[in-house]
Amino acid sequence: MEYRFSDRVSNLKPSAIREIFKYASDPEVVSLSAGNPSPDAFPAKEIAEISAEVLKNDPISVLQYSVSEGYTPLRNTLKEYMKNEHNTGSDSDDILITTGAQQIMDLCSKALINEGEVVICEAPSFIGSLNTFRSYNAKLVGVKVEPDGMSIDELENALKANPNAKLIYTIPNFQNPSGVTMSFEKRKKVYELAKKYGVLILEDNPYGDLRYSGEYVPNIKSLDTDGIVIYAGSFSKVISPGMRVAYCICPKPIFQKLVVCKQGNDVHTNIWSQYVCNEFITKYDFNAHLARLREIYTKKAEFCMNLLDKFCAPAITYHKIDGGLFIWCDLPDSIDMPTFCKKAVENKVCVVPGNAFLTDENEKCQSFRINFSTPTDEQLEKGIKILGEIANSWS
């Protein structure tokens, strides 16, 4: 039988990262490609305690259907937490609990983007979000990421050239994949441009709590007095990605449409997971847990950057980071990046080719992304040493 796929998916390709995972499953391969939290980062004991208690004393509350908007105590907790800790959210906003932050991208695309309309994205940007926008036949327009965030001049040029732009998608903190943090000055300018051109901002912030150094920078959503910012937060990097709990803070009219879309998607997010997240935030020391995560990742990030200095210079350069889970590495023009990544796989090391994160995957790219949170120190040293040997012996 000849299968006829919808126009939305006929040209979609599998995620480059997920394809690389097939190689990374080999126990002999050092995977520097994943974005998984460190195995030491999970509050497994606390999750077990919370789960045992509710399943013993009130199991139906987490096993029965629930409301699409999300577990009410968690929504209330997050409203208070985000307002008090980050000045994020107002009386004009509401909060939706979603099945991971990826679902926020999907629901926003479904609710807001018509076929052919433009989403302006950082270049590079997170492949999962790019593929979601592509699945709704959006036109992607990339804006160069500079050391302090997306280029403001390029952003305004893109807005002028694309009057049908609907969204500006940004990951302002420890951006995936570049590791760059957008300055506060640029955040204000991005907000001003969005307001000027009548475009919404989709602010994706899964890594904001994982700052190792430097000053805290307020969220773009904290500037939102005009109802133009949709904020995506997540527990994937600070509690557990497997639980699939994220949250979207957005203007109430958008919230109402996202709820309707979610009802046709998965009815509601896993209630047990939502319950665990709420109990963990309210009955355990959540800030102490975040401090422990920062300690873990600070050591791993510094160790990784020291290895890059030791084994990879001068052929491989990289961008120093103040937080997050990723380091963006650059190759000289004399080294073909796709061939380099293939050679790395042949030598049992997986990294992600940089072009996978571009709005145009055929565009020339000399960069690749590595992750340091998942591998052990021994694996990191082995993998980075191999990368350095390949690059520095290139001919």
Side-chain angles (χ1 to χ4, degrees), residues 358-372:
L358 300 179
T359 54
D360 179 1
E361 293 180 320
N362 296 316
E363 183 180 338
K364 181 175 171 57
C365 181
Q366 286 301 112
S367 304
F368 62 92
R369 191 197 75 179
I370 63 174
N371 163 257
F372 56 82

Side-chain angles (χ1 to χ4, degrees), residues 122-289:
E122 292 160 331
S125 189
F126 175 51
I127 187 173
S129 296
L130 297 181
N131 275 343
T132 297
F133 302 142
R134 290 181 181 118
S135 74
Y136 287 89
N137 285 340
K139 177 185 175 185
L140 304 184
V141 174
V143 172
K144 178 176 63 179
V145 174
E146 298 172 331
D148 60 346
M150 67 164 63
S151 166
I152 297 301
D153 289 341
E154 282 195 20
L155 174 59
E156 182 153 29
N157 288 338
L159 288 166
K160 288 178 180 177
N162 297 280
N164 66 337
K166 270 291 182 72
L167 287 175
I168 299 170
Y169 173 68
T170 178
I171 309 171
N173 292 314
F174 323 121
Q175 199 246 18
N176 182 4
S178 70
V180 163
T181 294
M182 186 186 294
S183 68
F184 187 54
E185 286 305 310
K186 280 200 170 180
R187 294 180 195 218
K188 290 188 287 187
K189 289 178 180 177
V190 169
Y191 183 84
E192 290 165 4
L193 286 174
K195 181 179 177 180
K196 177 180 178 180
Y197 289 93
V199 178
L200 293 168
I201 297 170
L202 178 49
E203 180 181 18
D204 193 4
N205 188 30
Y207 314 106
D209 287 320
L210 302 180
R211 173 176 285 281
Y212 319 140
S213 61
E215 296 291 325
Y216 168 80
V217 185
N219 299 323
I220 301 173
K221 182 64 178 171
S222 69
L223 306 172
D224 188 19
T225 56
D226 302 280
I228 60 173
V229 182
I230 301 167
Y231 178 90
S234 174
F235 291 112
S236 288
K237 301 303 187 289
V238 296
I239 295 181
S240 161
M243 291 169 63
R244 311 306 301 135
V245 180
Y247 51 98
C248 177
I249 303 172
C250 60
K252 288 180 179 178
I254 294 176
F255 165 83
Q256 291 164 0
K257 292 299 183 185
L258 298 186
V259 171
V260 173
C261 291
K262 183 171 174 62
Q263 289 169 345
N265 190 312
D266 65 354
V267 183
H268 63 73
T269 297
N270 183 296
I271 297 303
W272 164 79
S273 295
Q274 295 184 66
Y275 178 89
V276 170
C277 288
N278 187 63
E279 292 291 294
F280 186 71
I281 296 171
T282 57
K283 296 185 179 177
Y284 293 79
D285 193 337
F286 186 54
N287 286 330
H289 170 71

Side-chain angles (χ1 to χ4, degrees), residues 32 303-304 307 372 375-384:
L32 305 180
F303 182 66
C304 184
L307 291 173
F372 56 82
T376 64
D377 287 353
E378 293 75 18
Q379 289 171 328
L380 268 176
E381 182 164 359
K382 178 183 177 182
I384 290 174

Side-chain angles (χ1 to χ4, degrees), residues 105-120:
M105 311 311 148
D106 184 80
L107 296 177
C108 287
S109 298
K110 185 179 293 184
L112 298 169
I113 301 170
N114 292 312
E115 182 173 347
E117 290 181 329
V118 167
V119 177
I120 298 175

